[in-house]
Amino acid sequence: MSDQHSAAPMSGAEARDALAAADRSAESMHRQTIAIRVAMGGFALASLAGVLILGLVPMPGSMIGGLTFILGAAIALAVVGGTAKARPAGFLHRYLIAIGVWAAIYVAALVIGMSVFPAEPAFWIPAAIASALPGLWFVVVGARR
Amino acid sequence: MSHPRTELDKELTSPLRLSIAAALSKVGEAEFSAIRDAVVTNDAELSRQITRLLEVGYVDITKQKSGRYMKTWLTLTPAGRTALDAHVAALRAITD
C-alpha cells in the first residue's frame, strides 16, 4: 500500500506547498497558546485595579470588591491554564515565577500599605503597578517566543 | 554541487509529519487533539505518523491525567527541531 504522506517534494511548487501547509499548522498551534497570555494579562490588570481599590478606598465594600476582582481573575487564569491544550515553551517555569513574584509583591503591598500608608496614593499607585508587572512580564516574554 | 533535495530529511518529506513537527515547534507541548486540529487529520492517521516520529526520536510523549482520563501530550525533541530546521531550509532552497 502506498503512503500518501511519503512522497518527497521534488519541484519548487511541491516544496512551496509543503512549506505553506507547515506554516498553517504552526500558526494554528501558536494561536492555541494566546488564551493563556490573554488570561494572564487580564489577571495583571485585575491585580492593578484590585490593589488600587483595596488601598485607596478603605471601606468594607471596596475591600470585598477588590478581593473579588483579583480572585475572579485568578480563577479565570487557573481555568484557562488548566484546560489549555497547548502550552508555550517554558510555560510552567514562567507561570510559577510570575505567580510567585506577584504573591510576594501583593502581600508586601497590603501589609506595608495598610499599616504604614493607608489611602496614600504615593504608595498605592506604584504598588498597584508593581503588582501588575509579573503578569505583564509573562505576557511579553511569551509573545516573543 | 548537490541539489537541495538531497538535504531533505526523509522522515519529514511526509507533508503530515512535517506539519506535525512544525506545529510542535511553535509550542512547548501540545495535547494530541490540539495537534490533530492544527494539522487537520484524523486520530488514526495522526497516531500512525506520531508513532513514526517517536521511533526516529523526533517527538516525546507523556501521559498526563485529566479528570478520569489520561491525555497524550507531545513535545518536539532537540533532534526533531534540528531536523525540522534543516528540512525547512532545504525546502526554501528548492523554492528559490
Side-chain angles (χ1 to χ4, degrees), chain B residues 20-92:
Chain B
I20 294 167
L24 284 173
S25 74
K26 290 288 183 181
V27 295
E29 57 182 350
E31 202 256 314
F32 184 92
S33 65
I35 301 166
R36 179 197 62 210
D37 295 344
V39 303
V40 192
T41 189
N42 58 58
D43 287 0
E45 187 58 38
L46 179 61
S47 184
R48 195 164 75 94
Q49 299 304 335
I50 285 174
T51 298
R52 182 63 195 156
L53 290 171
L54 193 61
E55 285 170 355
V56 296
Y58 287 0
V59 299
D60 271 339
I61 285 181
T62 55
K63 298 281 186 182
Q64 296 180 18
K65 200 157 193 255
S66 175
R68 288 185 301 161
Y69 305 99
M70 296 298 283
K71 290 196 169 175
T72 301
W73 286 75
L74 292 108
T75 55
L76 190 65
T77 63
R81 189 171 294 275
T82 301
L84 175 66
D85 289 345
H87 187 77
V88 167
L91 285 173
R92 293 199 197 289

Side-chain angles (χ1 to χ4, degrees), chain A residues 59-76:
Chain A
M59 295 187 303
S62 62
M63 301 286 264
I64 293 169
L67 288 172
T68 304
F69 208 51
I70 295 172
L71 188 61
I75 290 171

Side-chain angles (χ1 to χ4, degrees), chain A residues 6 10 18-20 27 38 56 59 70 72 74 84 122-123 127 133 145:
Chain A
S6 62
M10 294 297 178
L19 283 171
E27 185 53 35
V38 170
L56 297 178
M59 295 187 303
I70 295 172
F123 174 84
L133 291 179
R145 286 169 180 255

Side-chain angles (χ1 to χ4, degrees), chain A residues 5-93:
Chain A
H5 299 294
S6 62
M10 294 297 178
S11 70
E14 287 170 319
R16 257 190 301 278
D17 288 348
L19 283 171
D23 284 346
R24 281 195 300 275
S25 299
E27 185 53 35
S28 172
M29 184 62 77
H30 181 65
R31 277 199 300 271
Q32 297 195 40
T33 65
I34 291 173
I36 291 175
R37 294 205 302 277
V38 170
M40 185 62 93
F43 175 71
L45 294 177
S47 176
L48 188 148
V51 170
L52 281 179
I53 293 169
L54 286 169
L56 297 178
V57 193
M59 295 187 303
S62 62
M63 301 286 264
I64 293 169
L67 288 172
T68 304
F69 208 51
I70 295 172
L71 188 61
I75 290 171
L77 175 62
V79 169
V80 171
T83 57
K85 290 185 171 184
R87 298 175 188 139
F91 165 77
L92 187 60
H93 183 67

